[in-house]
Amino acid sequence: MFALVVAIDDKAIMLSAEACAPDVPELPGGGIEDGETLDQAIEREWAEEVGIAFDVKGPFQRFQHVRGFYADDRNEFWIYDQTFRLYHFLGQVTIGQKWLNPEGGTAGWEAIASLPRLLINRAHWCAIPALLSSLTQL
């Protein structure tokens, strides 16, 4: 299972990108480790992929998305079970500013209105409209 963080403020959303795929932003998150709760995994993954304080209020919305896909050229089929949690971020947000995260990739705030123009990780993009359906910016 995967835990992913959708952290927003009024006009922005946090995205990260792996060093190996810097042009494919995605929602911060990753696998839930043995013995870890969903909330513990979310806070750990946030620290690893964003590198700033987990200054959020919530959760106030949750979205479960199960997706199957072929993982590589050996026809290995994976069931990708994703749990997205939508949080309202309380800290300072500067749209467009990016920084290196602890894992060697980048993180930063992106304007919600610009999301349709980005090449967001497809599995994550499928969940974003469902999570942000109450917002008019998307």
Side-chain angles (χ1 to χ4, degrees):
M1 284 188 53
F2 289 87
L4 296 123
V5 183
V6 184
I8 62 168
D9 82 338
D10 293 335
K11 297 183 188 283
I13 186 169
M14 174 58 70
L15 296 176
S16 63
E18 294 184 39
C20 64
D23 297 329
V24 184
E26 57 188 20
L27 298 167
I32 299 172
E33 296 178 357
D34 287 339
E36 205 173 39
T37 68
L38 175 63
D39 290 331
Q40 289 168 332
I42 283 171
E43 289 194 37
R44 179 185 50 76
E45 288 291 343
W46 178 269
E48 292 172 1
E49 295 192 10
V50 176
I52 61 174
F54 192 68
D55 192 4
V56 299
K57 178 183 176 187
F60 59 87
Q61 196 169 5
R62 177 181 172 158
F63 180 74
Q64 188 79 22
H65 182 69
V66 178
R67 181 181 175 99
F69 68 96
Y70 287 98
D72 59 26
D73 60 355
R74 291 176 272 177
N75 294 324
E76 181 179 346
F77 188 76
W78 288 8
I79 301 296
Y80 191 43
D81 184 353
Q82 306 166 105
T83 300
F84 297 85
R85 282 259 177 105
L86 178 64
Y87 294 92
H88 183 75
F89 189 77
L90 303 173
Q92 177 67 36
V93 171
T94 304
I95 294 174
Q97 179 184 7
K98 295 200 179 349
W99 55 88
L100 288 177
N101 67 25
E103 293 186 331
T106 59
W109 293 99
E110 190 68 49
I112 291 172
S114 72
L115 292 179
R117 295 187 297 274
L118 299 177
L119 297 173
I120 294 175
N121 175 309
R122 182 69 180 152
H124 298 184
W125 175 248
C126 292
I128 290 172
L131 286 161
L132 302 180
S133 62
S134 62
L135 300 176
T136 59
Q137 295 99 327
L138 190 61

